[in-house]
Every structure is written in C-alpha cells, then in structure tokens.
Amino acid sequence: MYALFDEAGKLLTGRILSESDAALQVELESGKRVKVKAALVLLRFAQPEPAALLQAAEALRPQIELELAWEFAPEAEFGFAELAAEYFQDPPTLAQQLAALLRLSEAPHYFRRAGKGRYKKAPAEVVQQALAAIEKKKQIQAQTEAWAADLAAGLCPPAVAQQLYKILFRPDKNAPEYKAVVHAARSTHTAPLLLLQRAGAIRNAYEFHWQRFLFDQFPKGVGFGPLPSLPPLPEGLPLAPVQAFSIDDSGTTEIDDALSLQGLGSAEVTLGIHIAAPGLAIEPGSALDEVARQRLSTVYMPGHKITMLPDGVVKAYTLDAGGARPALSLYLRLDAATLELQGFETRIEQVPIAHNLRHDQIDQGVTAAWLQDPAAEAGAPLPQEVLALRAELAFLYRLALHCKARRELVRGKPETFTRPDYTFDLKDVPPEGPTGEERVQIGTRSRGAPLDLMVAEAMILANSTWGQWLADCGVPAIYRSQASLAPGIKVRMGAKALPHAGLGVACYAWSSSPLRRYTDLVNQWQLLACARHGKAAALAAPFKPRDTALLAIISAFDATYTSYAQFQNAMERYWTLRYVQQQQIGELSASVIKDGLVRADTLPLVLPAAGSAGLERGTPVRVRLGSIDLIGLELSASVIEQLARTAPGSPEADALEEDGEDGAPELAPALALALDLDEGAEPEAEAQPEAEPEVLPEPAASAPLRRS
C-alpha cells in the first residue's frame, strides 16, 4: 500500500510500513523512512506504482481547462477529489484525482488553498485581475526578450537608451529594461558596458561621464529654473578707504576675495582681507538659500563648471574690478617690522576693487627675487598695474613667508610644494560645454609660487582669525579640524573650534568663498551677526548652539563635496588620457609609488604599470603606454627601463615625500556597476560568497576643489 502526502507544500509518495490512528511509518523511494501524520495523507493506493500514477496524472493535468474547472467547482470549500468527480466522472480514478490536485495547486489565481488538499474558488473579479496580470507579465517577458535580442544584435532599444544610467547605477531590478540588458549580456557572454557600446547606447565617453554625474547629482538638470528677483544691493554701507585687488585665474568668475594694504612705510600696516558678501542678500530659508543648499558647492571641471548660485547673484556680488562691491572685510593691524598682529576688526562695507590680477598672465613675472630685491628684474614683462603694486605685493609676500614659517613651527614639519598644479586649457569649447573632442593643452603652475602663497596665507589667516572670533562670541560655525599629522588621521568637519594640525592653526572655519561653497555662506551669516551684534550675536545668529540644522548641513556638504571632487578628478583624468592620445605619447618617465602604481613626472597621471610591483618606492622608471579605456578611465603600461635614482633633497625626492603625505594616489574611482549578471542564474553546486567589487583609492575628502 502506498500513500501520497503533503510535506511542507511538497507532494511525496512512499510505501506504508505501518500505521496507527494518528500517524504512518512510510518508506520513501530513496529508502529513507519518515513518520507522517495521518492528517497529511491525501491518497492511499495499492496500484499502480507511484511513478506510473504520476506519469498518468501528468498526462491528464493539461486537459483540465482552468476556466471550465472554475465554473464546475462548488461555491463552498471543496477537496480535489470532489473537483475530479465533477470534471471527469464519479467516482474519479486515482490518476484523475492526482491530476486535479496538481492542476489546482498550480492555479492560485483561480483556486485558493483552504487546507491540505482543500480549496475554495476565487471571486470572479479576482480571477479577472489575476488573468490580466498574467497576460501583462507575458507581454513584458516578450518585450524583454525582444529588447535583449536587439541588444545582442547590436541595436539599442529607445527604452533602454532612455534609462541607461538608471539601469547601470541605480536600477529597478524588476524593470524589463534592466532585465533585457542582463539577459543580453549573459546570453552573449559580453560585459554590459561593451554590449551597450556596441549597441550604440554609449556613443561618447565624455558624454557618458557627464550624464552619469548629472544623473547622480543633478537629476532635474543644472538650470536654476524660475527664481524670485535678487534683493537690491544693500544701501548705506560705508565706503572702505582702500583700493583692493584680487588674484585669481583668468577663468574665475566667482571672485570671492580681494586684498588691500594701508600704512605702507609706517610703523603699523593694516591688511584688509575682503570677502564677497552674498549673505547680505540671501536670507536663510529663502528660495535662493534653498538653491544653494541643494547644490552646496560650485562644481569645477576642465572647460566647464556648474555654479552654486545663479549668474545674477554671482554678477552682483563677485568682486569685479571697476567699482565698489559689498564685502565683509577683516582688517588686521600688523607691526611693520615684526609682522606681529596688533589687533583686528570686522566691517560690513562697500570695497572699491581696483584690479583683478590673473595668475596665468603674471605668475612668470612675479618672482620671489623681484618681490624681495628692489633692484631685481621681473621674471617676465608685467603690465603697468602690477608694477604699480610692487610694494604691496612685496609686503604681502614677506607676510606670507612669515605666516607660513609660524604655522610650520606649530605643524612640526615644513610644508612641501614640489609637485605642480596642472592646468587644462580646452580649445574652442561650445557655449553649452565641452563635447569631449576638443584639443587640450596641459600646463603647470607651481604650488607655493609667490602670488599663490600670498592668497593662500591670507585666506588661512582670515579663516583662522574669524573662526576663533566666532568661538569667542559663542556663535556656532562650521569648522575643519585635524587632530594630528599621524598616518590615518583625516581632516574632519564639525561645529567645534578644534585645532587643524595639517595647517598648524588653533581653529579653521571656511569663510572665504561664500559664492562657491555653502559652508562659507553659512559661516558668513554667523559672522554678519557677530559684526552687527557683538556680544549678543549668539541670540541673533541664524544658527544657535547645538543646532541640528547645522549638523545636517555639515553631513550633506561633506558627502556632496567629496562626490564633486571625485568627478573633477575623473574629468581631469579623462582630459589627460585625451592629451596622451592627441599627442601620441607612447612612453613616459615616472616614479614608483606603491602596489605596482607609478606617477608620471610631467602629467597628472597615476597608473598601474606591469613590472613595477617589486620595485622600491621612489624608483624612477620609464614606462611604455598601452591601450586607453576612456569609459573606465584606465591606461595600461609596462616598465621598460629603470632609471638612476634622484638624490635625497632633490625636487623629485621632495615630490615623493609630498605624495606620501597626501596618501591618495590620483586614480579614478572604480566604475562600479549595479548590474548583477548572476542574479536569477542557475545555482551552482556550492554557493560561493560574492566578491567585494574592487575599488581604487578615492580622493581624500578634504582635497579642495580647484577653481577655474
């Protein structure tokens, strides 16, 4: 005698060895013996053999028309044998009963389970909805298969092209477009990116990186949309008795800072650090504030940028030469001989801007010798307005060297600026931005050059002075701090005035770029409250102590600013690889960094090089360049020659030491796709743990975005 029983939703058969009122001892076909509750037994039979019975039932099962069976089924709860009697004959055969049981169990949209072997037919409206859903699923499956076939044949369906970045990076894994890409990649044994490139979905590497960034950070586009009119410029601001000048690159339109000097030749000199003051027009919580808070920073890349603030705000508050501009000014009174600080004052005022000096136009002429020796000639011809500022620039350079030396004493080690900053000049860029095909020229600007050092030290002085003033007034602000220079100790953002070991200052609050960084705009609002209300500023400032909104801004800014920096690095790497292509560079000199990585000596390029893994850090080598992947931003190379090592203390050796300090080789972040080609595939005999995706080192979160 055999029994057919339900074990956790699975139908099993076996020979009955013994039974009682409550249970049976059953031997399965495998030989295993199990105890089965009598209530779980659905059929008992002596003939035929279970395999023959199942074969006969499978032959009958498709003959049962579900719609007709649903019509025949009783309204009340019923058993499978009752349906077999209604549909076939009364009494039904064992095969007919089992066929009815199998058919009922596979049609939950027609029949709902009401117990072991018992069912109740679904209401008519539920059946219709279920049938419509099944038909829709069939249509979607057919569409998915058709799209997959097109992709495999090298054609990209419009629906896939429209959702390309969502499919690759933030997919709905139940969407037919996603499934089509996965199915096509799996069936053709082709990597998804290569498959999509062949199908024409990815036509241009630059456009791919640009649209991916917009999808991630600007899903609604980069336009500002309708905004209320800009509040009028503040009236009644006093006019500062200075003639200030700024120092930036030629492409800079958001001129945040300018400098002035009073009292040259006397015992006390007053340094004016003038910061653009959009905080006078933008109120916290206003529509313009919402725009700035969503973007949090200007995004820079070679040949293009996305500004944090609308053009109208930038034009109204940028420190353009030729007139007086609203500014928040920090005046520092310095002993002319010792350069020691005698006192400071903060004013809200109109500042006359006399000149906008440009690094790329005068850096070669303004040398350290020209600034320190009145008899020295300029390194290159200089315009008259720069020659007229020689005394001011000489004092600022002397002050910058003094401030740098004082910070280095606190820091405990000197700052090294031996690696240059690279500049990217794209030719004939369309108004809407680069296409990726432009010719590119890569130049250099030495970090720590005189003009660069003047501006950097003045901004550090302003940010540290204002940061301490805010703390003394009891007004919270956004600070950057670093506990020590020990390996692994990173720069952090927070609301407390803590030391910044990397800069060698007691505290540091970003306040000098309110046109392009939201943190600086927030700090400007707090500074304006201090300037207006003095000791009562804590009551009037927009952000109060322990304000959760301030902490939310810090968190959002940190994440967004890091993403922007990664994108800027990726775009600079793209244009470096395009430069290699355009100049047909086949070999480069480089230095080994670590882990098989080398850094090019004359280009902003870090790349893996075969044959460098066993070489000591700092070993100079010559590498032969291989294939370039502009989508993955990868360049292969191999070491072909080991060069003579540079002497300790040489610029090359100093550059290596400097590289060790920043700790993050400038490789593009790995292109991590969200597609899972193994999902839904047949399981292997033994499941293997999913490998972590390889992620190349990312830029440090504290790396400043470069302005253009």
Side-chain angles (χ1 to χ4, degrees):
M1 180 68 69
Y2 299 100
L4 182 143
F5 58 95
D6 186 324
E7 180 67 30
K10 185 177 181 180
L11 296 178
L12 300 175
T13 59
R15 185 183 301 276
I16 300 175
L17 300 177
S18 63
E19 65 177 302
S20 64
D21 292 341
L24 293 78
Q25 187 77 13
V26 177
E27 183 181 49
L28 303 180
E29 185 179 358
S30 64
K32 180 181 179 181
R33 296 185 178 187
V34 295
K35 185 178 180 181
V36 181
K37 291 181 180 180
L40 300 180
V41 177
L42 302 176
L43 284 175
R44 298 167 185 259
F45 57 97
Q47 294 291 337
E49 293 283 334
L53 177 61
L54 180 60
Q55 184 178 2
E58 286 289 355
L60 288 172
R61 179 174 59 84
Q63 298 178 20
I64 301 177
E65 297 182 17
L66 289 172
E67 187 174 358
L68 185 60
W70 184 83
E71 292 287 349
F72 276 127
E75 294 296 331
E77 181 184 312
F78 62 90
F80 64 93
E82 297 173 57
L83 180 67
E86 290 285 344
Y87 196 89
F88 291 108
Q89 60 187 16
D90 192 6
T93 66
L94 282 171
Q96 290 169 344
Q97 292 181 58
L98 182 54
L101 176 60
L102 295 174
R103 195 65 163 150
L104 285 166
S105 64
E106 70 181 10
H109 50 293
Y110 276 105
F111 304 99
R112 297 174 177 176
R113 291 191 62 175
K116 299 296 182 183
R118 301 195 62 76
Y119 297 86
K120 184 175 177 56
K121 71 178 185 179
E125 61 272 15
V126 173
V127 172
Q128 293 304 314
Q129 292 173 2
L131 291 175
I134 291 171
E135 181 60 29
K136 182 179 180 181
K137 186 176 181 179
K138 289 180 180 178
Q139 293 175 0
I140 291 174
Q141 180 63 28
Q143 181 66 83
T144 301
E145 292 174 356
W147 284 342
D150 286 346
L151 288 167
L155 302 172
C156 184
V160 173
Q162 290 170 4
Q163 296 199 34
L164 175 65
Y165 302 95
K166 182 177 180 180
I167 292 169
L168 292 177
F169 303 109
R170 206 176 297 160
D172 172 4
K173 294 189 176 182
N174 293 316
E177 296 85 356
Y178 171 85
K179 291 184 176 180
V181 174
V182 170
H183 180 65
R186 188 185 297 161
S187 63
T188 60
H189 305 286
T190 306
L193 282 179
L194 181 58
L195 174 81
L196 292 165
Q197 282 180 278
R198 290 175 177 174
I202 301 174
R203 297 184 297 271
N204 177 286
Y206 183 87
E207 186 70 9
F208 173 81
H209 293 294
W210 173 238
Q211 292 298 332
R212 177 196 172 192
F213 174 72
L214 295 184
F215 171 78
D216 187 45
Q217 297 292 338
F218 294 87
K220 296 181 180 179
V222 298
F224 287 96
L227 289 170
S229 58
L230 180 68
L233 295 178
E235 295 181 359
L237 294 181
L239 184 66
V242 300
Q243 292 293 306
F245 56 90
S246 66
I247 306 173
D248 294 278
D249 290 319
S250 289
T252 301
T253 56
E254 301 155 288
I255 303 175
D256 292 285
D257 53 81
L259 304 173
S260 69
L261 285 171
Q262 302 174 69
L264 280 178
S266 65
E268 185 176 274
V269 176
T270 300
L271 167 64
I273 302 175
H274 312 284
I275 306 301
L280 294 172
I282 302 173
E283 293 291 334
S286 66
L288 283 175
D289 174 33
E290 288 300 317
V291 168
R293 185 165 181 174
Q294 287 174 5
R295 300 198 173 196
L296 291 168
S297 171
T298 290
V299 184
Y300 293 99
M301 69 209 81
H304 197 44
K305 65 181 175 181
I306 305 171
T307 59
M308 181 181 76
L309 294 171
D311 288 345
V313 178
V314 173
K315 289 178 181 177
Y317 284 88
T318 187
L319 302 183
D320 271 339
R325 307 293 179 186
L328 184 65
S329 298
L330 174 64
Y331 289 99
L332 300 117
R333 292 179 286 105
L334 305 167
D335 184 288
T338 65
L339 299 180
E340 291 303 312
L341 180 63
Q342 304 299 306
F344 70 89
E345 180 184 4
T346 299
R347 302 176 194 164
I348 306 169
E349 59 188 3
Q350 294 265 10
V351 176
I353 308 298
H355 308 289
N356 293 140
L357 307 183
R358 304 297 183 177
H359 279 291
D360 48 307
Q361 297 174 6
I362 64 174
D363 265 357
Q364 296 300 317
V366 180
T367 63
W370 184 73
L371 293 169
Q372 293 175 312
D373 182 0
E377 296 290 331
L382 292 170
Q384 188 58 44
E385 64 265 21
V386 178
L387 295 174
L389 289 171
R390 185 171 186 174
E392 286 86 346
L393 295 175
F395 182 87
L396 288 172
Y397 185 57
R398 176 179 161 229
L399 176 63
L401 293 174
H402 173 79
C403 292
K404 181 174 182 291
R406 186 172 52 192
R407 290 191 303 102
E408 288 176 342
L409 284 176
V410 178
R411 193 171 183 268
K413 60 191 300 187
E415 292 178 328
T416 53
F417 298 118
T418 48
R419 270 209 325 270
D421 276 333
Y422 289 93
T423 61
F424 296 81
D425 182 18
L426 275 56
K427 306 298 182 184
D428 303 320
V429 178
E432 60 273 15
T435 65
E437 300 301 320
E438 290 81 3
R439 297 288 298 181
V440 57
Q441 291 295 323
I442 298 179
T444 60
R445 191 178 83 203
S446 296
R447 290 193 288 175
L451 289 173
D452 193 54
L453 187 64
M454 292 178 205
V455 176
E457 291 298 332
M459 296 309 110
I460 293 172
L461 191 56
N463 290 329
S464 58
T465 302
W466 269 337
Q468 189 61 57
W469 186 45
L470 286 164
D472 293 342
C473 291
V475 175
I478 299 175
Y479 292 90
R480 294 175 67 79
S481 63
Q482 186 178 19
S484 76
L485 290 178
I489 305 299
K490 297 182 178 180
V491 175
R492 304 292 184 187
M493 297 187 70
K496 293 184 179 180
L498 298 174
H500 193 306
L503 292 176
V505 294
C507 64
Y508 189 77
W510 260 348
S511 311
S512 53
S513 297
L515 290 173
R516 63 185 185 94
R517 279 194 307 244
Y518 190 68
T519 51
D520 300 53
L521 180 60
V522 168
N523 282 343
Q524 185 169 95
W525 285 326
Q526 304 295 85
L527 287 167
L528 289 171
C530 290
R532 288 165 172 160
H533 302 283
K535 294 182 179 180
L539 300 175
F543 298 94
K544 305 299 188 289
R546 294 183 294 277
D547 196 326
T548 56
L550 197 62
L551 299 179
I553 291 170
I554 292 171
S555 177
F557 179 87
D558 210 12
T560 301
Y561 199 65
T562 299
S563 296
Y564 290 178
Q566 289 175 356
F567 174 67
Q568 179 177 339
N569 287 342
M571 287 297 91
E572 290 181 357
R573 187 173 179 86
Y574 170 88
W575 286 111
T576 302
L577 296 180
R578 289 289 292 137
Y579 180 82
V580 170
Q581 287 181 330
Q582 292 170 4
Q583 301 297 323
Q584 299 181 350
I585 298 173
E587 295 181 2
L588 283 172
S589 60
S591 297
V592 175
I593 301 176
K594 60 179 179 180
D595 301 332
L597 296 178
V598 300
R599 185 189 296 280
D601 293 339
T602 56
L603 287 175
L605 188 62
V606 170
L607 66 161
S612 65
L615 297 179
E616 184 181 351
R617 171 179 167 81
T619 302
V621 293
R622 190 153 189 85
V623 298
R624 178 175 291 120
L625 304 182
S627 59
I628 292 176
D629 175 9
L630 292 176
I631 294 289
L633 299 178
E634 296 174 350
L635 170 60
S636 61
S638 57
V639 175
I640 58 174
E641 183 183 1
Q642 184 173 335
L643 306 176
R645 293 185 66 90
T646 55
S650 65
E652 292 82 0
D654 290 342
L656 183 66
E657 176 64 24
E658 180 184 351
D659 181 63
E661 288 179 15
D662 63 38
E666 296 157 6
L667 281 168
L671 192 61
L673 303 182
L675 283 88
D676 185 0
L677 299 187
D678 295 328
E679 190 173 18
E682 291 296 323
E684 298 178 1
E686 182 178 353
Q688 299 294 325
E690 183 178 354
E692 289 291 329
E694 181 181 359
V695 179
L696 299 176
E698 298 180 351
S702 60
L705 290 173
R706 292 174 286 283
R707 288 191 284 180
S708 62

